[in-house]
Amino acid sequence: MNTPIHAHAPKDAPKYVYRFGAQGTEGGAGMKNVLGGKGANLAEMCRLGLPVPAGFTISTEACALSTRDGAGVLLAAIEAEVRSGLAHIEAEMGKRFGDANDPLLLSVRSGARASMPGMMDTILNLGLNDAAVIGLGRKAGNERFAWDAYRRFIQMYGDVVMGLKPASKEDSDPFEVVIDRVKAHKGVKLDTDLDAADLQELVQGFKALIRARIGRDFPTDPWEQLRGAVLAVFESWHNERAVVYRQLNDIPESWGTAVNVQAMVFGNRGEHSATGVAFSRDAGTGEDLFNGEFLVNAQGEDVVAGIRTPQQITLIGSRRWAELAQVDEVERQARYPSLEELMPTIFQALLQAETLLENHFKDMQDMEFTIQEGKLWMLQTRNGKRTGAAMVRIAMEMLAQGLIDEPTALLRVTPDRLNDLLHPVFEPAALQAARPIARGLPASPGAATGQVVFFADEAEAWAKGERGDGRADGRADGRAVILVRQETSPEDLRGMSVAQGILTARGGMTSHAAVVARGMGKCCISGAGAVQVDLKARTMRIGALTWHEGDWISLNGSTGEVFDGRIPTRAVFESDLSGDLAALMALADRHRRLAVRANADTPQDALVARRLGATGIGLCRTEHMFFQGDRIRAVREMILADDEAGRRKALAQLLPMQRSDFDGLFRAMAGLPVTIRLLDPPLHEFLPHDEAGQQAMARQMRLPIAQIRQRVEALHEFNPMLGHRGCRLGISFPEITEMQARAVFEAALNVQAEGLAVEPEVMIPLVGTLREFSLQADLVHRVAAQVFAEQGAKVAYRVGSMIETPRAALVADRIAQGAEFFSFGTNDLTQMTLGFSRDDAGSFLPAYLHHGIYEHDPFRSIDQEGVGQLVALAARQGRATRPDLSLGVCGEHGGDPASITFFHRAGLDYVSCSPFRVPIARLAAAQAAVIEASSE
């Protein structure tokens, strides 16, 4: 950008740069796709008349251009617009970029359309050099401030643009090493204790460090600095932490980021300056209480980095913090006064701004601000990240307050975040006996117990059951870990995502750890000042006690307490959904069309499903019942039998057990439909395949080991998923279907005889032709008639088919001639349609997702273009034959919100999912209906 390529952009050139400021704004809140969330909201704040430093946004389309055609093409395309944008900032702020006497300094920040806090890069104080720092200090009348701004700029630019980072994960930030050396020499603890001469020494040390480590000098030309910063921020869209965050939050790579270039205002300009982060409501609990944190004489990154203990914005927040931090009122007033007490006029202006913004955007706002010598500047607003509990409370309270309507309230809650409301808690008795060792701030609620790990990559490896070198450590399910850090950074995202909980020694309620953990629904304690972390020794010290890597600790994210050792946790399954969650569920039920059933195999699961709002059982997997107690022996006797008589003898032992199982399910569901799938897996799954297991089976059944081995070998299949299973078993061994059908109908009549309603549904698995279905359905009807005749009573029932093979979907019109309902088994339908083995896809699916072959894991979210089209086709064809055909889905996709939206559009009647995803499915079904209604 040293020389302009065009004095003005050609008339037909695409527009990449959009200005904002008090004297003119080109964008607004409706342009997030182009300006990103930050740029759009900066423009909107200008339109609302709030004090915003002038600036311009380089669009997400420029990011796409850079990705596609390279940095050189991008710089040429935006050159003229950037220079025009700088002229706009200069005119509004009354300063010139590159002026050595009174320099205009800039911030360069990212801003994607979806909030990605801390995942991309930021550079502050851009435009400083050895001459400008003198002019800045003279103009401000504050030499220390100028050198502080300069050392911050070199540190950020050296890291982000020039790539000067720690040599290894055990090493400290090289710039921080220099700072610590200067502070040690000076005999001070805080950066704020360094004077202008000390900061000047830091600048020289930083420059020497860059020259020695990078091999070139720090750039002094402001335009070269700006060019490097813009390219680095665009490039940060592709850094590892941003990629991981997008994967975790389903943000498409194609969106790109915008870059916001804005005039700097300074919170580090003395005791009448400050910087902070504020929330219009509590991001942890949802309480309608203005709150946040600030630091006097600091810049923005100081607050989120947790290097200094931040102060609270409100008086009530300050007193709450002091209670948690065990600080008395006298000390609080003297050392940690609130902004409300310290700068009451500024506080009132900030309070007015947050009220205006929340009422305008009609959502909880997360705001960044700077106070420069007694003047308030608003630097950002966005819809704030929040816990699942806060999502629900804020939505329902804003609905009650008349700020939003019912559809908006439903759409405000991310369905998967309802899991947060059922977060684990400690077993009360174990908690009573636990030993507390430290206390910090309750940054994100929940209970977590795990082994201490100090590095994010190792947390990820331990959680995967690896030793850290990629090799398995013998723990197939991985380990529960607690990530312990001095403070977290965006590079820790992978480790944070797999950890049970996060503990940091530094940081406040708005630190990186706190904000990201709340966004993930992870238990987190920040600012536990007693904790001393030694990364090289891999230890955590509290007082005289030391914990090593691998030691167990437990965190209570709701109280901020840290405990020694492992405290058992249990999930919270409330007897009845209550409070705001119950109100949200009632609202969802009023708006949704899809019914929500549960996949449940036991009366206990069925009762939990009922409590969480299930309207039936969509899948009972009868084979799961066969592994309990003495049943497995009867199953194995059936498998080992030489003839039908032997099989029937063994099945007679299973009949009362199955009947009892179904009896319990019918009672638990109290008249709601219960769909029972006949035996599905191949018989070899019920036999041991290892030598020790076969020896034990031979001893238990008093049979020669050779006979066991022979039967195992006879049942071996090269591809069991496509082998002797499902309806093929029932056709080969009809006595199995007879036993299961008899158990269903006898149990139903027993329950009905007690005056309780029952609604049994018998489901035939793995059907591919009408003849297959008819052979099994006719047998079920024949057994029903026999049982009804024997007991002199009848029960209404239905027989239907699972649709889990592509052929079944293609001939659904014929199968519907006999089937009274379809239930789509999308797990197998996905495997057979894509030709992927769910058990083996892990070796290549990550690469497929990385290359965009599939946008989402097709086993987690339905492949709408392929598998989904088979579902839609089968639904249409089945209903063409039988208009009253009931349609449902019982695969894992039945609990996935995006898949539920698709099933709603496809016209299904219900989805079925695990009991604990029932509330999620209820909300997702309501959102699908609301979205459809809004598009009509």
Side-chain angles (χ1 to χ4, degrees), residues 407-416 584 588 591-592 897 900-901 904 920-934:
T408 303
L410 288 167
L411 293 172
R412 280 288 163 82
V413 181
T414 303
D416 276 320
L584 178 69
H591 284 266
R592 66 182 169 90
I900 289 169
T901 299
H904 173 92
I920 293 169
R922 290 165 68 188
L923 177 58
Q927 291 180 344
V930 164
I931 291 169
E932 182 181 60
S934 67

Side-chain angles (χ1 to χ4, degrees), residues 20 27-46 52 57-60 109-117 120 237 251 255-260 262 357 361 365-368 379-385:
F20 57 85
M31 295 181 64
K32 286 187 177 181
N33 291 2
V34 175
L35 302 180
K38 184 175 294 183
N41 287 349
L42 283 168
E44 193 72 7
M45 285 197 293
C46 290
V52 177
T57 300
I58 308 173
S59 73
T60 58
R109 303 172 186 258
S110 62
R113 72 172 82 168
S115 176
M116 297 174 59
M120 292 176 285
W237 176 252
I251 298 172
W255 282 5
T257 184
V259 172
N260 299 287
Q262 191 173 16
L357 289 169
F361 287 103
Q365 293 300 292
D366 169 359
M367 298 151 286
E368 295 179 12
L379 304 184
Q380 174 170 293
T381 191
R382 60 189 174 193
N383 295 337
K385 299 288 185 184

Side-chain angles (χ1 to χ4, degrees), residues 522-656:
K522 291 280 183 183
C523 171
C524 176
I525 296 173
S526 60
V531 174
Q532 298 181 40
V533 177
D534 186 333
L535 294 181
K536 287 190 178 294
R538 298 182 182 232
T539 61
M540 174 184 86
R541 192 156 51 86
I542 301 173
L545 301 176
T546 300
W547 285 259
H548 297 84
E549 184 177 72
D551 289 343
W552 285 83
I553 62 171
S554 300
L555 311 179
N556 188 335
S558 302
T559 65
E561 292 175 292
V562 184
F563 297 92
D564 182 33
R566 184 177 189 174
I567 305 177
T569 60
R570 61 178 176 84
V572 176
F573 306 127
E574 302 178 29
S575 57
D576 290 294
L577 299 179
S578 58
D580 290 322
L581 179 56
L584 178 69
M585 290 293 98
L587 184 64
D589 292 344
R590 288 202 301 272
H591 284 266
R592 66 182 169 90
R593 179 188 60 77
L594 279 172
V596 178
R597 300 188 189 182
N599 300 341
D601 308 323
T602 67
Q604 292 77 18
D605 286 347
L607 287 170
V608 170
R610 280 291 305 278
R611 290 199 297 266
L612 296 177
T615 56
I617 292 178
L619 175 64
C620 169
R621 293 152 289 206
T622 54
E623 62 272 8
H624 288 187
M625 301 168 173
F626 289 165
F627 288 97
Q628 301 173 14
D630 293 335
R631 303 176 187 202
I632 189 65
R633 176 168 182 161
V635 173
R636 288 172 172 173
E637 287 178 3
M638 176 196 72
I639 294 171
L640 293 171
D642 295 325
D643 53 23
E644 181 181 338
R647 287 192 294 273
R648 287 189 179 277
K649 180 179 178 182
L651 288 167
Q653 299 177 57
L654 287 171
L655 174 60

Side-chain angles (χ1 to χ4, degrees), residues 376-616:
L376 174 67
W377 293 93
M378 301 300 295
L379 304 184
Q380 174 170 293
T381 191
R382 60 189 174 193
N383 295 337
K385 299 288 185 184
R386 64 205 77 172
T387 64
M391 277 185 183
V392 173
R393 180 172 177 178
I394 290 170
M396 298 314 294
E397 288 190 355
M398 283 191 164
L399 175 62
Q401 292 162 355
L403 281 172
I404 57 177
D405 58 16
E406 289 188 358
T408 303
L410 288 167
L411 293 172
R412 280 288 163 82
V413 181
T414 303
D416 276 320
R417 295 304 303 280
L418 294 182
N419 279 327
D420 293 8
L421 278 72
L422 304 177
H423 56 67
V425 297
F426 290 127
E427 292 283 359
L431 183 60
Q432 286 284 335
R435 178 166 66 105
I437 55 175
R439 179 185 286 270
L441 298 175
S444 187
T449 188
Q451 294 175 272
V452 171
V453 177
F454 296 100
F455 298 101
D457 60 337
E458 293 181 12
E460 186 179 17
W462 284 35
K464 289 179 178 177
E466 299 171 352
R467 300 184 307 185
D469 56 5
R471 289 183 289 176
D473 68 356
R475 296 171 174 83
D477 297 327
R479 307 191 219 184
V481 300
I482 301 291
L483 181 63
V484 178
R485 303 285 288 165
Q486 194 73 13
E487 68 265 341
T488 63
S489 72
E491 281 76 15
D492 295 324
L493 185 65
R494 283 188 185 274
M496 295 175 74
S497 71
V498 299
Q500 301 298 307
I502 300 142
L503 171 64
T504 67
R506 300 198 299 218
M509 296 292 283
T510 59
S511 66
H512 175 270
V515 171
V516 173
R518 284 196 295 268
M520 291 179 171
K522 291 280 183 183
C523 171
C524 176
I525 296 173
S526 60
V531 174
Q532 298 181 40
V533 177
D534 186 333
L535 294 181
K536 287 190 178 294
R538 298 182 182 232
T539 61
M540 174 184 86
R541 192 156 51 86
I542 301 173
L545 301 176
T546 300
W547 285 259
H548 297 84
E549 184 177 72
D551 289 343
W552 285 83
I553 62 171
S554 300
L555 311 179
N556 188 335
S558 302
T559 65
E561 292 175 292
V562 184
F563 297 92
D564 182 33
R566 184 177 189 174
I567 305 177
T569 60
R570 61 178 176 84
V572 176
F573 306 127
E574 302 178 29
S575 57
D576 290 294
L577 299 179
S578 58
D580 290 322
L581 179 56
L584 178 69
M585 290 293 98
L587 184 64
D589 292 344
R590 288 202 301 272
H591 284 266
R592 66 182 169 90
R593 179 188 60 77
L594 279 172
V596 178
R597 300 188 189 182
N599 300 341
D601 308 323
T602 67
Q604 292 77 18
D605 286 347
L607 287 170
V608 170
R610 280 291 305 278
R611 290 199 297 266
L612 296 177
T615 56

Side-chain angles (χ1 to χ4, degrees), residues 287-461:
E287 182 182 4
D288 188 1
L289 179 71
F290 180 42
N291 67 99
E293 296 175 330
F294 76 103
L295 284 170
V296 174
N297 197 19
Q299 284 199 317
E301 74 272 15
D302 295 341
V303 179
V304 297
I307 296 171
R308 288 165 55 191
T309 301
Q311 294 158 244
Q312 300 300 305
I313 288 175
T314 65
L315 177 57
I316 186 174
S318 183
R319 286 175 172 164
R320 288 182 180 182
W321 168 85
E323 184 178 353
L324 288 168
Q326 299 180 321
V327 172
D328 64 38
E329 179 64 9
V330 173
E331 183 182 2
R332 185 200 68 77
Q333 290 182 16
R335 297 184 59 191
Y336 307 107
S338 67
L339 184 67
E340 186 174 358
E341 298 164 286
L342 194 64
M343 303 180 188
T345 303
I346 292 292
F347 172 77
Q348 288 300 322
L350 183 61
L351 183 62
Q352 292 172 10
E354 72 88 15
T355 302
L356 173 65
L357 289 169
E358 179 173 285
N359 289 341
H360 179 74
F361 287 103
K362 300 185 186 303
D363 199 355
M364 186 266 277
Q365 293 300 292
D366 169 359
M367 298 151 286
E368 295 179 12
F369 64 91
T370 284
I371 301 162
Q372 178 176 299
E373 297 181 315
K375 178 176 174 55
L376 174 67
W377 293 93
M378 301 300 295
L379 304 184
Q380 174 170 293
T381 191
R382 60 189 174 193
N383 295 337
K385 299 288 185 184
R386 64 205 77 172
T387 64
M391 277 185 183
V392 173
R393 180 172 177 178
I394 290 170
M396 298 314 294
E397 288 190 355
M398 283 191 164
L399 175 62
Q401 292 162 355
L403 281 172
I404 57 177
D405 58 16
E406 289 188 358
T408 303
L410 288 167
L411 293 172
R412 280 288 163 82
V413 181
T414 303
D416 276 320
R417 295 304 303 280
L418 294 182
N419 279 327
D420 293 8
L421 278 72
L422 304 177
H423 56 67
V425 297
F426 290 127
E427 292 283 359
L431 183 60
Q432 286 284 335
R435 178 166 66 105
I437 55 175
R439 179 185 286 270
L441 298 175
S444 187
T449 188
Q451 294 175 272
V452 171
V453 177
F454 296 100
F455 298 101
D457 60 337
E458 293 181 12
E460 186 179 17

